[in-house]
Amino acid sequence: MGPLYPFAEMFEEMNKRDLDFWGITKFHKVMSNPYDNIYGYLPEHIQSHFIAVRQSMLKSVEFQRYWKTRPKIKSYADAVGKHESIFTKLFNDAGFKWGCYVDTTALEELTHYPLMITPLKIIEEYKCPIFKRRTFFQPILDLISYSDANQGLQLLEYLQKNTKYDVSMVWENIIRSCNMADIKNALSLNYILPSEYILCKPKPQKLALVMHIYFEDLIEYCYNYALSMPAEADIYITSDKEEKCKEIEKKFKQGPWYNVKVILIENRGRDVSSLLVGFKPYAEQYDLVCFMHDKKVTQLDYGSKGQAFSDRCFENMLGSKEYVSNIIDLFDKNPFLGLLCPPPPNHADFYITIGCEWGPNFKITKQLSEKLELNCSIKEEKEPVAPLGTMFWFRTKAMKKLFDYDWDYDDFPKEPNKIDGTLLHAIERIYPFVVQDAGFYSALVLTEKNARTEWSHLLYMLRELNIRVFAAYGLNNLNSLMETINYYIYHPELDGPVPNLRFLLKQKIKAKTPKPVWALLKKIYHIFGGKKWVG
């Protein structure tokens, strides 16, 4: 995407050079061969997003032959292995001269891939006129293997603050075409907001708090958090019995709000029907809505586990009046933000949530997306950026398609309900995809206090897992550990992780050895009676 500097400057400079073909940026030589090209390694080459070919090469026999002999390209790996990574060397070896507008030769020791790994450096110091769209959705493992993976966020902020480039073109493109989990990870869409002071007084918005209260003993708890909403917000409370509705109304009328409405709903569909059926007639009146519900987790052995889940949701959605003001301001400053969720739970029995976000719900969520005619990427291997716990802030126009669907209480399962795998759990996971289909993104938000404890907990969990993984598979980086563990998962005939050190050593040697040489070594090894090689 670009240009950040006029292309005229680039063409003026390149017209001075005696070249047969040229590009904007290059990929430095790498001795591994992940794309299986003819050389057995990745030669230095022009990146194929921009290649200019002059008449001297365009009319040559070699150029015509190249295109006539190209095999069918069926994948990204084919595009790199059978074209991009070999194009420059083939024509250079045939006597054609090449060059790049952005000469990153001085960065070879820093990175093999300057456009992706150091985008700000080559924009600021080398006046690179383009940036890579993929920076905003590149799988985080590819980045964290070579850096601290903050390129996407840094680049987006730089474009906003230091250029006239319209970043809405970035947002519109990636939201329309990419997976939300990849966008969220690449751009670190996790907001940490203060709960004791206001960053900036938000612009006036039409606000509503929608809250479903089922448990009478939690009315006071819900009311105390509702007090974080400003007086100008409208308050909607749903419940399933008239007696509870009267008690709720009596309590909430004590609050500072000008408009409190208590709605009697059927005891079917729980908090989901509260929002999609009970609140539906009023939804279009508002710009922003916070949706909450009382929460008890009865299937676990101790109530403290479920209570912590509830507190986690309420604190990160309605932590204080100041915090709510900061959330409203966040939506105002980020026009593509459509859904704001608390972080998923990871304590006690909820630990499995991280890595098992879909649970048994992917298939029914996918079916629901087809019913709603959503046009966005939903993949089982990518986690949904969803409000697990079904409490969230949202922009109403981002959720329009879900409200427009003709929901009825009969659509939802009768009580008693299953603890997982129902339509309710599919809807819990469909929210971010509805929002993405409407052209908005989803993100997580934490209070600064919760962020402190979350950092400690996640670091502790990672450390304890690493201690055990390193003991079994040897010391290594994340990418190599994952490859090793995957190997044993897909080769169950091997008896555990031994010999892990030998396997890791072999992988490193293989990565540095040209493919023909590696094949020859394997033949020699087998000729002299070597054991069957792993891999």
Side-chain angles (χ1 to χ4, degrees), residues 24 30 113 151 159 233 236 336 354 356 462 470:
I24 299 180
V30 175
Y113 197 169
Q151 290 89 340
L159 294 175
Y236 294 86
F336 288 91
I354 309 301
C356 195
L462 179 61
F470 293 156

Side-chain angles (χ1 to χ4, degrees), residues 460-489:
Y460 171 79
M461 293 173 189
L462 179 61
R463 182 175 184 275
E464 292 301 312
L465 281 176
N466 275 352
I467 289 170
R468 289 150 182 82
V469 171
F470 293 156
Y473 296 99
L475 297 175
N476 218 315
N477 61 48
L478 178 63
N479 194 24
S480 294
L481 282 171
M482 289 171 63
E483 288 179 356
T484 304
I485 294 170
N486 282 342
Y487 187 84
Y488 285 103
I489 290 174

Side-chain angles (χ1 to χ4, degrees), residues 212-215 238-241 244 263-274 294 409-410 412-417 424:
H212 179 63
I213 302 178
Y214 178 80
F215 301 102
T238 64
S239 196
D240 65 316
K241 291 184 179 179
K244 279 191 278 188
I263 305 169
L264 178 66
I265 64 171
E266 292 184 24
N267 185 27
R268 186 162 173 172
R270 299 183 180 181
D271 51 277
V272 176
S273 64
S274 163
D294 57 356
Y409 294 109
D410 291 339
F412 305 105
K414 294 181 179 180
E415 297 292 341
N417 220 323
L424 303 181

Side-chain angles (χ1 to χ4, degrees), residues 399-437:
M399 208 75 81
K400 187 176 185 300
K401 186 170 279 191
L402 194 60
F403 279 109
D404 285 349
Y405 189 82
D406 192 22
W407 294 103
D408 190 82
Y409 294 109
D410 291 339
D411 293 322
F412 305 105
K414 294 181 179 180
E415 297 292 341
N417 220 323
K418 297 178 182 178
I419 63 172
D420 210 350
T422 71
L423 175 63
L424 303 181
H425 301 92
I427 293 175
E428 182 180 26
R429 288 158 177 82
I430 205 70
Y431 291 123
F433 301 109
V434 173
V435 165
Q436 187 177 4
D437 177 80

Side-chain angles (χ1 to χ4, degrees), residues 468-474 484-485 487-489 491-505 531-535:
R468 289 150 182 82
V469 171
F470 293 156
Y473 296 99
T484 304
I485 294 170
Y487 187 84
Y488 285 103
I489 290 174
H491 292 78
E493 71 278 5
L494 298 176
D495 187 17
V498 180
N500 60 80
L501 294 178
R502 174 174 165 270
F503 175 77
L504 291 172
L505 181 61
K531 296 178 182 177
K532 182 180 179 181
W533 277 37
V534 178

Side-chain angles (χ1 to χ4, degrees), residues 368-385:
L368 178 58
S369 75
E370 293 167 359
K371 187 180 293 186
L372 294 173
E373 298 181 350
L374 302 184
N375 183 27
C376 52
S377 170
I378 304 178
K379 298 180 179 179
E380 193 167 9
E381 68 273 17
K382 304 285 186 180
E383 71 276 17
V385 188

Side-chain angles (χ1 to χ4, degrees), residues 278-520:
F279 178 64
K280 178 181 178 177
Y282 314 99
E284 288 187 357
Q285 301 175 32
Y286 301 97
D287 300 315
L288 293 178
V289 173
C290 177
F291 177 64
M292 306 295 292
H293 64 92
D294 57 356
K295 190 171 188 63
K296 282 187 180 181
V297 180
T298 57
Q299 68 267 26
L300 303 180
D301 50 358
Y302 291 105
S304 63
K305 298 177 181 179
Q307 183 63 54
F309 189 3
S310 178
D311 292 346
R312 183 182 184 84
C313 294
F314 274 89
E315 280 295 316
N316 287 302
M317 295 289 94
L318 293 171
S320 69
K321 290 182 179 180
E322 294 82 1
Y323 183 68
V324 167
S325 290
N326 290 330
I327 284 181
I328 297 167
D329 181 58
L330 187 69
F331 274 97
D332 182 56
K333 285 185 168 61
N334 296 275
F336 288 91
L337 173 60
L339 179 71
L340 207 52
C341 317
N346 52 45
H347 65 282
D349 301 64
F350 298 107
Y351 178 75
I352 62 171
T353 303
I354 309 301
C356 195
E357 294 86 355
W358 284 110
N361 302 294
F362 177 76
K363 186 177 180 180
I364 53 175
T365 305
K366 188 74 169 140
Q367 290 171 345
L368 178 58
S369 75
E370 293 167 359
K371 187 180 293 186
L372 294 173
E373 298 181 350
L374 302 184
N375 183 27
C376 52
S377 170
I378 304 178
K379 298 180 179 179
E380 193 167 9
E381 68 273 17
K382 304 285 186 180
E383 71 276 17
V385 188
L388 302 179
T390 325
M391 296 186 228
F392 51 94
W393 281 83
F394 66 95
R395 205 183 292 271
T396 51
K397 61 183 178 181
M399 208 75 81
K400 187 176 185 300
K401 186 170 279 191
L402 194 60
F403 279 109
D404 285 349
Y405 189 82
D406 192 22
W407 294 103
D408 190 82
Y409 294 109
D410 291 339
D411 293 322
F412 305 105
K414 294 181 179 180
E415 297 292 341
N417 220 323
K418 297 178 182 178
I419 63 172
D420 210 350
T422 71
L423 175 63
L424 303 181
H425 301 92
I427 293 175
E428 182 180 26
R429 288 158 177 82
I430 205 70
Y431 291 123
F433 301 109
V434 173
V435 165
Q436 187 177 4
D437 177 80
F440 298 88
Y441 70 85
S442 302
L444 305 185
V445 66
L446 300 84
T447 68
E448 80 282 39
K449 293 178 182 177
N450 194 265
R452 288 172 62 185
T453 56
E454 185 77 352
W455 170 255
S456 295
H457 299 165
L458 293 177
L459 196 61
Y460 171 79
M461 293 173 189
L462 179 61
R463 182 175 184 275
E464 292 301 312
L465 281 176
N466 275 352
I467 289 170
R468 289 150 182 82
V469 171
F470 293 156
Y473 296 99
L475 297 175
N476 218 315
N477 61 48
L478 178 63
N479 194 24
S480 294
L481 282 171
M482 289 171 63
E483 288 179 356
T484 304
I485 294 170
N486 282 342
Y487 187 84
Y488 285 103
I489 290 174
Y490 295 112
H491 292 78
E493 71 278 5
L494 298 176
D495 187 17
V498 180
N500 60 80
L501 294 178
R502 174 174 165 270
F503 175 77
L504 291 172
L505 181 61
K506 191 211 78 169
Q507 290 294 93
K508 285 187 174 295
I509 295 172
K510 182 179 180 181
K512 299 288 185 181
T513 306
K515 192 173 181 181
V517 176
W518 182 255
L520 179 61

